[in-house]
């Protein structure tokens, strides 16, 4: 039941969950299944948070946030999707391939993949060392592939290697199996939200623990509960739009060590798309981090999804939405020839850093601060709980990591309420 009326705020539930993303929905479903009265309070006019499927003018789903079910062979969201009547697509991701080897000869591709493999091996080795360090220290000085390795880091981590904690990266668990939801992640979020009590358009601006019940304040009134789970992104916490009474300096410190990196997407419609293979990929530049990653015909659809990351994505956001399309069409034209220009039509571009309810795409730990994830996730006096992708030690930056963190927080709430 999605609510946006005022009256609903007047009845107090057992538990309030702040945020209707994968973490909040996961937590609320677990709490409701345990028989607790739970209400989600969400600032946006929709559920899903950083899982957001829009539709192109012809009705095709386009993923503006997450798209892949990472570690799909052990990702619980796959089962939730199937139970919800959604379709899993198991086509292999085309990343690190090049249509027809255009502008990227096979020998160079092999060299790049080998350089990436060596970097991952060094990250693994350094991940086990006692001292943490930024990832760029593991680049081979002077290697010609360093810019493209750094660009790859921006797609994976949202940041260049110099901002990446090697320890944090090492803790991430990836089985290497990646699937998608044909109808889009948004359909999964909607299915997960279906039977929940959710108040939309309702930003929480204060959480007050000075009373017997925890009080949350919103522009539409106050609400009280025995426990509250906070799932808002770390940069939103740090921006101070959601305040705590008493203040939580340790929590804010942890959140500030887990900033959101940036990944943005651009969708282009492609005329006469059949010329290109279904689910294929292009690199348009090999010697710079200022480049996009081009997924051509996702699901066989007549679209190109372009992925931008890190500082370059931030620059393009600052230039304005048209900058993404202008840059991408220019890159495609220089690789495929100028005639491609008239076959490409911009549909949508994201600006996740400028979204005040996200302020970025997914979290990374600053070098030396991988343990901040556990500090962020720790409950406060058994009444205030934290979830969200940044709280996950092994699955951060993902939708399933967010979902799992919600389940962990919900179980902690259930245990705490049983003791009272
Ligand atoms: C471009 C992009 C591509 C991605 N690709 C993938 C991918 O392929 N696979 C993958 O697994 N993950 C991917 N991710 C990451 C994934 O989307 C996120 O990790 C996950 O969705 C985060 O869920 P969450 O519940 O932690 O946070 P969110 O989804 O951000 O949910 C938090 C909610 O809190 C709300 N909120 C904020 N402030 C307030 C407030 N004051 N009061 C009330 N509500 C508030 C927000 O509106 C939001 O709905 C991608 C993300 C982006 C942006």
């Amino acid at each position: 039941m999605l609510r946006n009326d005022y009256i609903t705020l007047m009845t107090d539930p057992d538990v309030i969950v702040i945020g209707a993303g994968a973490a909040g929905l996961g937590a609320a479903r677990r709490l409701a299944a345990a028989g607790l009265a739970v209400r989600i309070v969400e600032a946006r006019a929709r559920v899903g948070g950083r899982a957001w499927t829009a539709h192109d003018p012809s009705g095709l789903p386009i993923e503006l946030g997450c798209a892949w079910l990472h570690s799909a062979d052990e990702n619980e969201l796959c089962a939730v999707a199937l139970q919800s009547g959604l379709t899993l697509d198991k086509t292999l991701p085309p990343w690190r391939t090049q249509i027809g080897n255009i502008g990227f000869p096979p020998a160079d591709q092999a060299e790049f993949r080998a350089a990436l493999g060596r970097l991952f091996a060094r990250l693994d080795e350094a991940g086990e060392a006692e001292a943490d360090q930024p990832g760029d220290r593991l680049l081979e000085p002077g290697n010609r592939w360093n810019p493209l390795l750094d660009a790859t880091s921006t797609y994976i981590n949202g940041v260049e290697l110099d901002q990446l904690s090697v320890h944090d990266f090492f803790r991430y668990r990836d089985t290497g199996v990646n699937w998608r939801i044909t109808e889009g992640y948004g359909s999964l979020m909607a299915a997960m939200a279906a039977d929940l009590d959710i108040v939309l358009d309702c930003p929480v601006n204060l959480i007050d623990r000075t009373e017997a019940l925890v009080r949350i304040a919103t522009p539409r009134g106050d609400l009280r509960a025995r426990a509250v789970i906070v799932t808002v992104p770390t940069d939103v916490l740090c921006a101070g739009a959601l305040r705590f009474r008493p203040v939580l300096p340790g929590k804010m410190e942890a959140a500030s060590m887990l900033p959101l990196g940036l990944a943005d997407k651009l969708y282009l419609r492609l005329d006469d798309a059949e010329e290109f293979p279904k689910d294929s990929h292009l690199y348009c530049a090999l010697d710079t981090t200022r480049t996009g990653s081009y997924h051509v015909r996702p699901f066989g659809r007549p679209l190109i999804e372009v992925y931008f990351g890190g500082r370059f994505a931030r620059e393009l956001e600052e230039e304005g939405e048209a900058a993404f399309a202008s840059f991408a069409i220019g890159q495609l034209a220089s690789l495929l020839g100028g005639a491609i220009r008239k076959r490409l039509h911009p549909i949508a571009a994201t600006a996740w850093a400028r979204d005040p309810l996200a302020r970025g795409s997914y979290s990374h730990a600053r070098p030396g601060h991988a343990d901040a994830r556990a500090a962020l996730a720790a409950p406060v006096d058994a009444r205030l709980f934290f979830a969200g992708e940044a709280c996950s030690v092994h699955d951060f930056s993902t939708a399933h990591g967010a979902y799992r963190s919600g389940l962990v927080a919900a179980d902690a709430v259930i245990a705490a309420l049983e003791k009272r």
Side-chain angles (χ1 to χ4, degrees), residues 15-19 41 202-219 221-232 236-237 240-248 251-252 380-387:
V15 187
I16 296 166
V17 175
I18 302 177
V41 182
C202 193
V204 178
N205 46 47
L206 176 72
I207 301 175
D208 183 353
R209 288 181 295 112
T210 60
E211 303 170 11
L213 293 175
V214 185
R215 179 175 68 92
I216 66 158
T218 82
D222 290 0
L223 196 61
R224 289 172 176 76
R226 299 164 70 199
V228 170
I229 301 179
V230 179
T231 75
V232 310
V236 174
L237 283 178
L242 173 54
R243 291 174 299 114
F244 296 89
R245 186 179 298 153
V247 290
L248 294 171
K251 211 48 100 175
M252 291 304 117
V380 178
D381 75 15
R383 293 196 299 164
L384 182 57
F385 298 79
F386 287 80

Side-chain angles (χ1 to χ4, degrees), residues 145-408:
W145 298 108
N146 285 349
L148 202 52
L149 294 175
D150 223 9
T152 305
S153 172
T154 71
Y155 310 140
I156 298 173
N157 307 301
V159 286
E160 288 75 4
L161 290 160
D162 62 341
Q163 296 170 65
L164 191 72
S165 153
V166 168
H167 276 179
D168 194 48
F169 185 83
F170 176 70
R171 289 176 190 175
Y172 179 76
R173 179 173 164 72
D174 185 4
T175 67
V177 181
N178 301 285
W179 298 341
R180 286 170 296 178
I181 302 168
T182 306
E183 297 84 355
Y185 252 105
S187 299
L188 174 61
M189 295 294 128
M192 286 168 65
D195 296 322
L196 297 173
D197 177 353
I198 305 176
V199 184
L200 297 175
D201 282 319
C202 193
V204 178
N205 46 47
L206 176 72
I207 301 175
D208 183 353
R209 288 181 295 112
T210 60
E211 303 170 11
L213 293 175
V214 185
R215 179 175 68 92
I216 66 158
T218 82
R220 291 161 52 178
D222 290 0
L223 196 61
R224 289 172 176 76
R226 299 164 70 199
V228 170
I229 301 179
V230 179
T231 75
V232 310
T234 48
D235 282 41
V236 174
L237 283 178
C238 294
L242 173 54
R243 291 174 299 114
F244 296 89
R245 186 179 298 153
V247 290
L248 294 171
K251 211 48 100 175
M252 291 304 117
E253 168 71 9
S256 72
M257 293 305 145
L258 301 167
L260 268 58
L262 187 57
D264 273 318
K265 290 186 184 179
L266 163 75
Y267 278 89
L268 301 168
R269 201 185 77 234
L270 172 64
D271 293 343
D272 301 322
E274 298 70 24
E275 178 194 339
F276 298 98
K278 170 181 180 301
D279 276 311
S280 52
H281 180 265
L282 284 171
Y283 288 96
C284 287
L286 306 178
D287 56 356
T288 172
T289 53
R290 298 167 58 81
T291 185
S293 171
Y294 296 74
H295 185 160
V296 179
R297 297 188 64 205
F299 295 95
R301 295 167 183 159
L303 301 169
I304 301 181
E305 182 202 88
V306 196
Y307 214 84
F308 296 97
R311 295 182 180 109
F312 184 46
R314 246 171 244 283
E315 273 176 43
L316 291 173
E317 274 199 23
E318 276 159 25
E319 282 177 44
E321 190 179 325
F324 287 101
S326 156
F327 178 84
I329 292 172
Q331 266 207 324
L332 286 165
S334 61
L335 187 74
L336 303 173
I340 196 78
R341 283 181 181 275
K342 59 179 182 306
R343 293 168 57 190
L344 296 168
H345 311 279
I347 294 175
T350 64
W352 284 103
R354 291 156 76 106
D355 178 338
L357 299 172
R359 293 180 172 268
S361 301
Y362 28 85
S363 69
H364 63 96
R366 292 191 197 280
H369 296 281
D371 292 341
R373 297 200 185 275
L376 181 67
V380 178
D381 75 15
R383 293 196 299 164
L384 182 57
F385 298 79
F386 287 80
E389 56 88 9
C391 293
S392 169
V393 172
H394 300 297
D395 309 299
F396 54 84
S397 79
T398 67
H400 68 280
Y403 175 73
R404 285 177 183 167
S405 77
L407 300 185
V408 169

